[in-house]
């Protein structure tokens, strides 16, 4: 390579490094916490497992939307933390993202950016779409990979549970997922709530067993809150409230206790 | 080709690399049917001259004409056969495929390539090993494959760079006979060599290069005497005088 | 024209023989099988019936392998000729440097396409074996993938004439893989950066080879249907123009090479 070529290449390299540093700098504040574990995966990947695990959840999310990256964690919104019917969730999301797509197409047309125009048409969908019913089994491998990468990714466990319980309508699978999740994360209130919800089965299930699960969730949440506050406080508080709401609902269904009637 | 035509005509050729002259004012003529030996020490400018004759390098000044035209014109090169000093031919091909490849590059049709391949492999002694990958060939065998590819297009001018390098004594004799046969068929041959004995046995004329200058040109028959010793003496004397 | 056709045929044959006798393709297929067979037997959480992840992984491997083959084929066009000194007898034949470059490029592309076709045959066979169906958009996706391979060979060919083999393969892979995964997001990344950085990123976005244009994997996996005809043709024209520019630059680089 000529001297001029080398100088040009060196300048290009410096510019590229500068760009990458600029891009990475924005993400440093979002570095993951230390992932527990002493297995081979932990040794090989360390904290990267957290990122890998989140990436797999992202992949499952994109599958839910027909392979499109939505960058806003749809599946997270579909989880148990909104006490709402499935149809209601899907309606909300369909509506919200319908606007996103339209905006994307408008931008592509308005800016006359040929590259963007090609990308929008080759890579992006022409309609908003969700996987539903039995087809949602397609999400399972990515979520499985996610919990394998980081068994403490509660979001991945609860999302898997949601798909098994609400989309595939497979109670046995849902309970198996929760059991596996609880094995890795004993007494996790969110997973206990998942178990309770499956057993409760919208009021048609075993109320006593469901009640026991929700009570355990509340007790676990209280214990975690007492042990000290961190950034998971809000999530635990929400889970506690959620479990309590179910306990109250079950109490209503059972009616007043015998001594109260007297 | 007409007998009186200058097959190679170099007039005041200079080739400089970053200011340093590899060839300086070289004038050379090679008539049709002649065999010329091109001698010189390492770095004398032999290979640079050959590259200019093949159109691979353009002269800094002076003119290079081969077969009456500019050797950078592919149509002129269609009549030239060239064998480099050292070449490790495509390791995944066998000798037959190598010749088929070069035949295609020369624009020969498949039938011609096939018939020439058979006779050439026979004449260079590679017929028995023609299906072996070239990566399993020895240096001498690769040299023979190189000779075969140079002869494939039945060239009017054959340019050979150190053709005897790596050949065993038997192969040398065989190759010498092959070149004699070509000479008898009226082919013009130009070869550079350090093998003074072979040069004296084969050539009509020799040119001796030193540091880019041609310090001697003349017919071999003018060197009276008993073979290699005389050419060797002339070579040493010429180089000594050129100091 | 007849001469050029014969020369091109010879160069295509050379590339084919080299690619298939190197056994790279078979090694890649074995690697692919080693990855795909255990994956295809997995039943995550005991829930059977998922198949899109297998298609996704298989297509990712096809893309990765095709890039590997294309970059290797492009890299091997000229540097080995110089190293083994076969460039001299080759250019001493009645072929110009320009024709040699184009002929060699066509040869490398044809050989890489043959490997890609082989990978796709295996992919389709694996889909059919799993009881899947042929997607209607597959031919369009394959054509775009072929165009991508032609582009990758051209990138690697140009690089091979400018830098060393290892530098070329690394840089070409970084550029193409980087664009493949992040190309469409560059304008997003440029937003919020300081103006100088944004300007550099936008420059990269404008001139870098947009490998992502050719990627119809998600359409294929999730059954989104074919790309509009006009978009499809635009992408092919983009590939043709980009390849032409790269070949022009490569021919300038080859012309400046000292023999």
């Amino acid at each position: 390579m000529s001297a001029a070529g080398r100088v040009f290449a060196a300048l290009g390299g410096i510019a590229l490094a500068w760009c990458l540093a600029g891009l990475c700098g924005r993400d440093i504040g979002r570095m993951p916490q230390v992932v527990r574990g002493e297995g081979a995966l932990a040794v090989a990947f360390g904290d990267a497992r957290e990122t890998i695990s989140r990436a797999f959840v992202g992949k499952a999310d994109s599958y839910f939307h027909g392979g499109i990256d939505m960058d806003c964690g749809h599946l997270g919104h579909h989880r148990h933390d909104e006490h709402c019917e499935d149809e209601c969730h899907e309606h909300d999301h369909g509506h919200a993202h319908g606007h996103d797509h339209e905006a994307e197409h408008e931008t592509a047309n308005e800016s006359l950016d040929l590259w963007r125009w090609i990308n929008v048409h080759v890579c992006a969908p022409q309609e908003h779409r969700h996987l539903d019913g039995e087809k949602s089994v397609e999400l399972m491998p990515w979520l499985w990979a996610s919990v394998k990468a980081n068994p403490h990714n509660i979001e991945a466990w609860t999302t898997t549970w949601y798909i098994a319980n609400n989309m595939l309508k497979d109670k046995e699978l849902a309970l198996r997922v929760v059991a596996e999740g609880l094995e890795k994360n004993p007494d996790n209130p969110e997973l206990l709530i998942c178990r309770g919800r499956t057993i409760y089965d919208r009021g048609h299930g075993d109320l006593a067993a469901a009640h026991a699960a929700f009570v355990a969730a509340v007790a676990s949440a209280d214990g975690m809150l007492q042990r000290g506050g961190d950034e998971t406080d809000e999530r635990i508080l929400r889970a506690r409230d959620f479990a309590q709401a179910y306990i109250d609902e079950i109490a209503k269904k059972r009616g007043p206790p015998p001594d109260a009637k007297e | 080709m007409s007998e009186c035509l200058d097959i190679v005509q170099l007039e005041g050729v200079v080739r400089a690399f970053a200011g340093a002259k590899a060839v300086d004012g070289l004038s050379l003529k090679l008539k049709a049917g002649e065999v010329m030996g091109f001698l010189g020490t390492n770095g004398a400018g032999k290979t640079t001259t050959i590259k200019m004759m093949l159109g691979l390098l353009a002269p800094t000044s002076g003119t290079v004409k081969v077969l009456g035209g500019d050797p950078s014109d592919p149509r002129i090169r269609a009549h030239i056969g060239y064998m480099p000093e050292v070449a490790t031919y495509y390791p995944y091909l066998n000798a037959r495929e190598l010749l088929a490849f070069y035949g295609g590059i020369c624009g020969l049709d498949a039938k011609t390539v096939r018939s020439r391949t058979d006779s050439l492999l026979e004449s260079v002694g590679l017929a028995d090993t023609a299906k072996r990958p070239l990566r399993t060939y020895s240096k001498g065998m690769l040299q023979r494959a190189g000779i075969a590819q140079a002869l494939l297009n039945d060239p009017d001018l054959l340019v050979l760079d150190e053709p005897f390098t790596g050949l065993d004594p038997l192969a040398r004799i065989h190759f010498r006979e092959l070149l004699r046969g070509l000479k008898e068929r009226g082919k013009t041959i130009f070869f550079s060599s350090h093998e003074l004995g072979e040069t004296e046995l084969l050539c009509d004329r020799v040119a001796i290069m030193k540091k880019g200058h041609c310090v001697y040109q003349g017919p071999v028959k003018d060197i009276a005497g008993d073979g290699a010793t005389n050419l060797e003496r002339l070579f040493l004397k010429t180089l000594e005088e050129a100091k | 024209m007849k001469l050029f056709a014969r020369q091109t045929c010879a160069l295509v044959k050379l590339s084919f023989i080299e690619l298939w006798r190197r056994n790279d393709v078979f090694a890649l297929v074995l690697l692919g099988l080693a990855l795909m067979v255990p994956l295809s037997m997995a039943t995550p959480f005991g829930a059977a019936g998922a198949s899109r992840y297998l298609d996704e992984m298989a297509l990712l491997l096809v893309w990765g392998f095709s890039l590997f083959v294309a970059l290797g084929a492009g890299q091997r066009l000229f540097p080995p000729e110089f190293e083994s000194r076969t460039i001299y007898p080759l250019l001493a034949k009645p072929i110009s440097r320009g024709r040699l470059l184009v002929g060699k490029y066509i040869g490398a592309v044809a050989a890489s396409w043959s490997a890609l076709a082989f990978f796709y045959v295996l992919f389709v066979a694996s889909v059919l074996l799993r009881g899947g169906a042929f997607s209607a958009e597959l031919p369009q996706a394959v054509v775009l993938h072929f165009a991508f391979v032609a582009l990758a060979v051209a990138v690697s060919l140009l690089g091979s004439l400018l830098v060393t083999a290892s530098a070329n393969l690394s840089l070409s892979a970084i550029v193409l893989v980087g664009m493949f995964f992040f190309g469409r997001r560059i304008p997003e990344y440029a937003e919020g950066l300081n103006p100088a950085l944004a300007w550099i990123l936008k420059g990269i976005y404008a001139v870098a080879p947009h490998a992502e244009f050719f990627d119809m994997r998600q359409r294929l996996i999730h059954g989104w249907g074919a790309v509009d005809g006009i978009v499809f043709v635009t992408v092919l024209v983009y590939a043709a123009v980009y390849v032409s520019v790269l070949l022009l630059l490569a021919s300038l680089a080859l012309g400046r090479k000292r023999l």
Side-chain angles (χ1 to χ4, degrees), chain B residues 73-80 106 153-155, chain C residues 92-94:
Chain B
D73 180 352
R75 286 169 301 181
I76 296 291
R77 292 203 301 272
H79 304 282
I80 304 175
C106 290
N153 55 337
D154 192 22
Chain C
K93 301 271 186 265

Side-chain angles (χ1 to χ4, degrees), chain A residues 1 26 59 63 66-67 69 71 113 115-116 119 121-123 125-127 129 138 141 144 160 173 176, chain C residues 44-45 50-53 56 163 184-185 189 191 197 205-206 210 212-213 218-219 222-224 235 238:
Chain A
M1 202 193 279
R26 296 200 300 204
K59 189 71 194 169
Y63 262 46
D69 276 339
D71 281 334
D113 178 346
W115 295 173
R116 193 172 168 80
N119 267 325
H121 285 87
V122 172
C123 312
Q126 269 77 58
E127 59 181 280
R129 193 191 273 188
E138 300 288 356
W144 181 80
T160 314
L173 176 62
R176 207 162 57 230
Chain C
F45 300 112
S51 65
R52 291 187 190 184
Y53 79 106
E56 170 123 21
V163 294
R184 70 181 66 112
R185 286 167 183 262
Y189 295 147
E191 282 167 26
L197 280 178
Y205 182 67
H210 281 270
E212 78 277 13
F213 288 174
Q218 296 309 320
R219 284 183 171 274
H222 299 282
W224 279 104
V235 175
Y238 171 83

Side-chain angles (χ1 to χ4, degrees), chain A residues 58 145 196 202 219 222 245-246:
Chain A
R202 289 180 183 161
D222 285 343
Y246 269 108

Side-chain angles (χ1 to χ4, degrees), chain C residues 56-105:
Chain C
E56 170 123 21
M57 292 307 292
L59 282 172
L60 186 65
L61 288 178
V62 169
W63 271 85
F65 291 169
S66 69
L67 181 65
F68 180 89
V69 168
L71 293 184
Q75 168 59 37
R76 282 192 301 271
L77 289 181
F78 283 100
E81 296 272 8
F82 283 97
E83 279 159 30
S84 62
R85 305 172 74 88
T86 43
I87 191 76
Y88 302 116
L90 193 53
L91 285 176
K93 301 271 186 265
I95 187 166
S96 65
R97 289 190 197 197
R99 274 193 178 186
L100 180 66
L101 181 99
V102 172
K104 271 189 166 276
Y105 171 73

Side-chain angles (χ1 to χ4, degrees), chain A residues 198-217:
Chain A
T198 301
I199 298 168
Y200 180 60
D201 195 13
R202 289 180 183 161
H204 304 296
D206 182 344
L207 296 188
H211 183 264
F214 290 126
V215 167

Side-chain angles (χ1 to χ4, degrees), chain B residues 30-46:
Chain B
L30 185 57
K31 298 218 177 292
E34 248 185 347
V35 178
M36 178 179 253
F38 200 44
L39 307 175
T41 51
N42 291 328
K46 300 190 299 290

Side-chain angles (χ1 to χ4, degrees), chain B residues 17 51 56-57 74 77-78 82 84 86-90 92-93 97 101-102 104-109 149, chain C residues 3 6-7 10-11 14 17-18 21-22 81 84-86 88-97 258-259:
Chain B
F17 294 107
K51 283 178 183 171
L56 301 178
L57 276 179
R77 292 203 301 272
Y82 168 64
V86 185
T88 316
Y89 295 98
Y90 309 96
Y92 295 96
L93 301 186
E97 287 163 344
F101 166 66
Y102 280 120
I105 297 295
C106 290
L108 302 176
D109 62 89
Q149 66 80 22
Chain C
L3 175 67
R6 280 184 182 157
Q7 288 172 335
L11 291 163
L14 179 73
I17 289 175
E18 193 184 357
R21 286 195 188 154
R22 285 175 66 89
E81 296 272 8
S84 62
R85 305 172 74 88
T86 43
Y88 302 116
L90 193 53
L91 285 176
K93 301 271 186 265
I95 187 166
S96 65
R97 289 190 197 197
R258 200 171 113 180
L259 289 171

Side-chain angles (χ1 to χ4, degrees), chain A residues 1-2 15-16 18-20 22-23 26 59 62-69 71 113-129 131 135 137-145 147 157 160 168 173 176-177 180, chain C residues 42 44-53 56-57 144 162-163 183-185 187-194 196-197 200-201 204-207 210 212-216 218-219 221-224 226-228 230-231 234-235 238 256:
Chain A
M1 202 193 279
S2 65
L16 196 61
W18 189 27
C19 278
L20 288 173
L23 286 173
R26 296 200 300 204
K59 189 71 194 169
S62 89
Y63 262 46
F64 181 68
H65 292 95
I68 310 304
D69 276 339
D71 281 334
D113 178 346
L114 181 62
W115 295 173
R116 193 172 168 80
W117 177 78
I118 293 172
N119 267 325
V120 164
H121 285 87
V122 172
C123 312
Q126 269 77 58
E127 59 181 280
H128 192 72
R129 193 191 273 188
L131 274 187
K135 282 185 186 164
V137 73
E138 300 288 356
L139 279 62
M140 291 303 225
W142 299 109
L143 295 165
W144 181 80
V147 299
W157 285 112
T160 314
L168 295 172
L173 176 62
R176 207 162 57 230
V177 168
E180 213 175 303
Chain C
F45 300 112
S51 65
R52 291 187 190 184
Y53 79 106
E56 170 123 21
M57 292 307 292
L144 286 188
L162 299 174
V163 294
R184 70 181 66 112
R185 286 167 183 262
E188 251 173 69
Y189 295 147
E191 282 167 26
L193 285 178
N194 76 51
L197 280 178
I200 292 169
L201 272 186
I204 291 171
Y205 182 67
V207 300
H210 281 270
E212 78 277 13
F213 288 174
F214 306 91
D215 177 19
M216 277 182 62
Q218 296 309 320
R219 284 183 171 274
I221 295 163
H222 299 282
W224 279 104
V227 173
D228 288 349
I230 180 78
V231 180
T234 307
V235 175
Y238 171 83
R256 286 168 57 97

